[in-house]
Amino acid sequence: MNTKILTIDLDTRAYDIFIGTGLLSRLQDFIPDDVKKRSVFVITDENVTQYAQTVSEAATNLGASKVEVIVMPPGEGTKSFSSMQKISEFMLSNGLNRNSLIFAVGGGVIGDLAGFCASIAMRGVEFIQVPTTLLAQVDSSVGGKTGINTAQGKNLIGSFYQPSAVIADIETLKTLPKRELLAGYAEVAKYGLIQDEEFFKWLEQNGARVCSLEQDAVAYAVEKSCRAKALTVEADEKEHGRRALLNLGHTFGHALEAAAGYNGLLLHGEAVAIGMVMAFELSSRMGLCSNDDVERVEKHLQDIGLPTRAAYIDGLSTTVDDLIEVMRRDKKVVSGNMVFVLVNRVGEAFLSADVPEDLVRAVLKDSLGDEEKGTKGKWKSKFSSHS
Ligand code: ADP
Ligand code: ZN
């Protein structure tokens, strides 16, 4: 299969995204010649050290002056001040200089953390993203958002810092737990729902092939998603307007994630799947999209194996008031008004700061379900986190 190359065109900093199979085994084709004589740091987590090792060997063979692999524990908890300190100090005492090169090999956690470290080390050293989850390949590795979590919330400390390349080897998805793969799929579907009904139709027909990792289907889905994200980021790098559409389902989703507690009960993509259904439901109640659209979206996500209602998450215990409270604290709140991504139909999303709170509450209540009606705990992930 051919390698696809997409260029992200940001005036001063253009860079390429490479998408294909087996890219890591011929990394010399993608990483710049100038690895030569530079000190290289490969930041990764325990579950993907094999890919970090491949990157490290390639850098050595290409003549890097030194290569260090830094292995972090997996999981959201790693996006912390203490990891940032540990990585920064390790690099500083192991030959970091302005000419160093940092690789982020892993999912969104590693990409965000390593990208943030790269952006502040010596006021910025070059870094390359090697995303190994579907979510990172279609979303978090593209667009230059980096950051860590604090006690006050997720991603509240960070920077905009673009990588010099993104190398998305879809072969790495073969070792990704299925549940993680499906969670990433929610972000793929999101691009169709926001601005591309044709793509959503394609997903309705081919989503199952994507999730069983048929190469042509995955490559197409990753490429389409990266292209959609790239266009959005080019138009609005720092999220003053259009980029915010990428938050479809995320205001609801972030609230659910916070309520679930970031401990694996609810993955980000799963929360986004539920959140997107809520965004459609809200839009339908506001007379914007049809109820058929709501059902269509819910059906597709369900067919794929994603949860579509908060009630389906066994062990999630929260209330409408709690969720509203978290939504108010979201960093996307503009001068007191919650901003929502709404839809006119599948493939046409827009922003609105003018949403009646009683409708938001009604949608939340509906998704949380009703113990008596037996809607609770209906969705069980068929996949444990590390199957
Ligand atoms: P995300 O990319 O969804 O933000 P993480 O960075 O937390 O999420 O990655 C999700 C989990 O999958 C982590 O436990 C990580 O170690 C693991 N992981 C990432 N990529 C792979 C892979 N290609 N194979 C196996 N496990 C992986
Ligand atoms: Zn997301």
Side-chain angles (χ1 to χ4, degrees):
M1 201 191 69
N2 291 336
T3 305
K4 285 274 182 314
I5 305 175
L6 303 181
T7 300
I8 305 260
D9 195 6
L10 292 164
D11 27 289
T12 51
R13 300 136 295 138
Y15 61 93
D16 288 333
I17 305 174
F18 302 93
I19 302 162
T21 48
L23 304 191
L24 290 188
S25 57
R26 45 195 173 87
L27 211 60
Q28 66 282 1
D29 296 351
F30 313 107
I31 54 180
D33 285 346
D34 45 280
V35 174
K36 274 196 191 72
K37 304 209 169 64
R38 294 169 73 178
S39 55
V40 171
F41 297 90
V42 183
I43 303 174
T44 192
D45 80 34
E46 286 156 13
N47 294 326
V48 285
T49 50
Q50 56 163 312
Y51 306 120
Q53 208 49 46
T54 308
V55 170
S56 151
E57 279 158 22
T60 304
N61 292 338
L62 287 166
S65 63
K66 134 184 219 142
V67 186
E68 297 280 354
V69 178
I70 305 173
V71 183
M72 304 302 291
E76 198 62 40
T78 283
K79 274 174 65 173
S80 65
F81 276 117
S82 74
S83 302
M84 182 195 84
Q85 180 176 9
K86 198 175 148 210
I87 292 170
S88 304
E89 289 180 346
F90 178 89
M91 294 195 300
L92 289 167
S93 37
N94 283 277
L96 181 82
N97 57 49
R98 291 225 163 86
N99 196 34
S100 295
L101 177 61
I102 294 176
F103 284 90
V105 180
V109 165
I110 290 299
D112 285 5
L113 173 67
F116 185 47
C117 291
S119 77
I120 54 175
M122 310 250 160
R123 302 211 170 83
V125 304
E126 187 181 345
F127 97 110
I128 292 180
Q129 292 267 23
V130 182
T132 63
T133 63
L134 182 59
L135 186 125
Q137 293 187 351
V138 300
D139 184 13
S140 57
S141 72
V142 180
K145 281 192 183 177
T146 81
I148 57 174
N149 306 325
T150 65
Q152 289 71 25
K154 276 182 69 177
N155 299 324
L156 294 178
I157 298 293
S159 58
F160 282 101
Y161 191 66
Q162 301 292 343
S164 61
V166 178
I167 301 169
D169 186 342
I170 60 178
E171 217 154 277
T172 60
L173 302 179
K174 286 187 184 153
T175 55
L176 184 68
K178 184 81 190 238
R179 187 179 167 204
E180 299 283 351
L181 184 79
L182 294 188
Y185 183 90
E187 305 276 5
V188 174
K190 183 185 78 177
Y191 295 112
L193 296 176
I194 293 172
Q195 58 188 15
D196 191 346
E197 192 193 357
E198 275 306 305
F199 181 47
F200 190 72
K201 262 191 212 151
W202 183 88
L203 290 172
E204 288 175 311
Q205 280 149 19
N206 296 279
R209 297 207 301 121
V210 173
C211 295
S212 52
L213 294 181
E214 288 184 34
Q215 282 188 9
D216 62 320
V218 187
Y220 181 75
V222 173
E223 185 199 339
K224 267 294 217 188
S225 303
C226 284
R227 203 181 284 280
K229 177 129 190 201
L231 285 174
T232 310
V233 171
E234 281 167 12
D236 176 24
E237 183 182 2
K238 302 263 165 91
E239 194 164 320
H240 299 301
R242 184 167 155 200
R243 185 167 180 168
L245 292 180
L246 298 175
N247 293 319
L248 175 67
H250 279 62
T251 305
F252 289 118
H254 285 152
L256 291 171
E257 272 186 285
Y262 311 108
N263 53 11
L265 179 65
L266 189 61
L267 300 180
H268 173 72
E270 292 165 353
V272 167
I274 299 170
M276 291 192 301
V277 173
M278 287 203 243
F280 269 78
E281 179 68 37
L282 177 61
S283 304
S284 156
R285 286 180 191 235
M286 290 177 73
L288 296 162
C289 74
S290 71
N291 194 50
D292 287 355
D293 283 332
V294 185
E295 284 174 9
R296 179 178 176 195
V297 172
E298 180 162 19
K299 175 170 188 316
H300 177 59
L301 297 175
Q302 240 163 21
D303 286 350
I304 287 299
L306 280 161
T308 53
R309 288 176 186 248
Y312 298 170
I313 308 303
D314 241 351
L316 175 68
S317 141
T318 184
T319 62
V320 172
D321 284 336
D322 285 351
L323 294 171
I324 290 273
E325 177 67 28
V326 187
M327 285 161 79
R328 283 195 193 292
R329 289 201 307 260
D330 199 294
K331 64 179 175 308
K332 270 115 205 167
V333 169
V334 182
S335 49
N337 260 353
M338 286 191 268
V339 179
F340 286 88
V341 185
L342 300 176
V343 286
N344 288 318
R345 55 185 186 81
V346 169
E348 196 180 308
F350 65 97
L351 287 177
S352 169
D354 191 20
V355 175
E357 187 176 313
D358 57 329
L359 288 186
V360 176
R361 286 179 173 272
V363 167
L364 287 168
K365 186 162 182 289
D366 225 43
S367 188
L368 284 170
D370 203 324
E371 203 96 48
E372 284 93 70
K373 287 189 197 145
T375 46
K376 288 257 176 207
K378 235 172 70 180
W379 176 85
K380 296 249 184 345
S381 170
K382 285 176 269 175
F383 316 100
S384 70
S385 224
H386 271 268
S387 52

